[in-house]
Amino acid sequence: MGRIIAIDYGNKRVGVAVTDPLKLIATPLDTVHAKDIISFLKKYVAQEPVETIVVGMPRTLENTPTDVTSAVVGFVRKLKKEIPEIPVFTIDERFTSRMAFQAMLDGGVKKKDRQNKATVDKVSATIILQSYLAQNNL
């Protein structure tokens, strides 16, 4: 049984979350610089069995592309080329940053930590992963 990795891709930072081997719990893993994400993922999949990679696809409220959408599409294309043995899926990521901030607020995370964009990116990736698990009844 392999894990599922979720990615909240940004032009500067990439939030990464992962499931446990039974695919029951989504956990924040790390925040990686965008230029290093492919090598980070290659190293991770060499150490851990990974079944699927899920990438959050940014859309506006009107379901149109955002200014980051084309970068995410390019990243997904590169990811499929660089790690062809693992299927890559995209999932709507609207509201994940707001949901991440609210989850941190509700969880009692200190203001200083909530302002840390890397923390928000990891939590956003976790929300993307939870959404994927719920949609696929995993």
Side-chain angles (χ1 to χ4, degrees):
M1 286 190 141
R3 299 172 186 266
I4 300 173
I5 293 178
I7 296 172
D8 180 30
Y9 187 84
N11 288 324
K12 293 181 183 176
R13 289 175 314 279
V14 180
V16 182
V18 66
T19 64
D20 61 298
L22 297 175
K23 295 183 274 304
L24 299 173
I25 301 169
T27 308
L29 180 63
D30 206 349
T31 302
V32 181
H33 194 283
K35 68 179 177 54
D36 300 324
I37 188 62
I38 296 291
S39 61
F40 174 87
L41 292 171
K42 283 182 174 182
K43 185 176 178 182
Y44 188 85
V45 302
Q47 296 172 354
E48 294 284 340
V50 175
E51 183 177 299
T52 305
I53 299 174
V54 179
V55 180
M57 186 60 67
R59 308 293 289 174
T60 66
L61 291 176
E62 294 81 29
N63 199 28
T64 59
T66 69
D67 54 340
V68 182
T69 303
S70 63
V72 175
V73 169
F75 167 71
V76 169
R77 191 176 304 123
K78 184 174 181 179
L79 184 58
K80 287 178 177 180
K81 181 180 176 187
E82 295 286 333
I83 310 176
E85 65 277 11
I86 299 175
V88 178
F89 298 98
T90 59
I91 187 170
D92 187 341
E93 72 163 27
R94 280 179 279 189
F95 307 114
T96 55
S97 293
R98 283 191 201 133
M99 290 168 65
F101 185 80
Q102 189 61 48
M104 291 189 304
L105 194 62
D106 294 346
V109 175
K110 295 177 185 172
K111 183 176 183 178
K112 181 181 176 186
D113 294 331
R114 288 192 313 262
Q115 291 173 336
N116 181 346
K117 301 260 191 223
T119 302
V120 175
D121 291 339
K122 284 191 291 191
V123 174
S124 293
T126 306
I127 292 170
I128 290 167
L129 186 49
Q130 288 171 329
S131 296
Y132 178 81
L133 294 172
Q135 286 179 11
N136 291 283
N137 297 317
L138 298 175

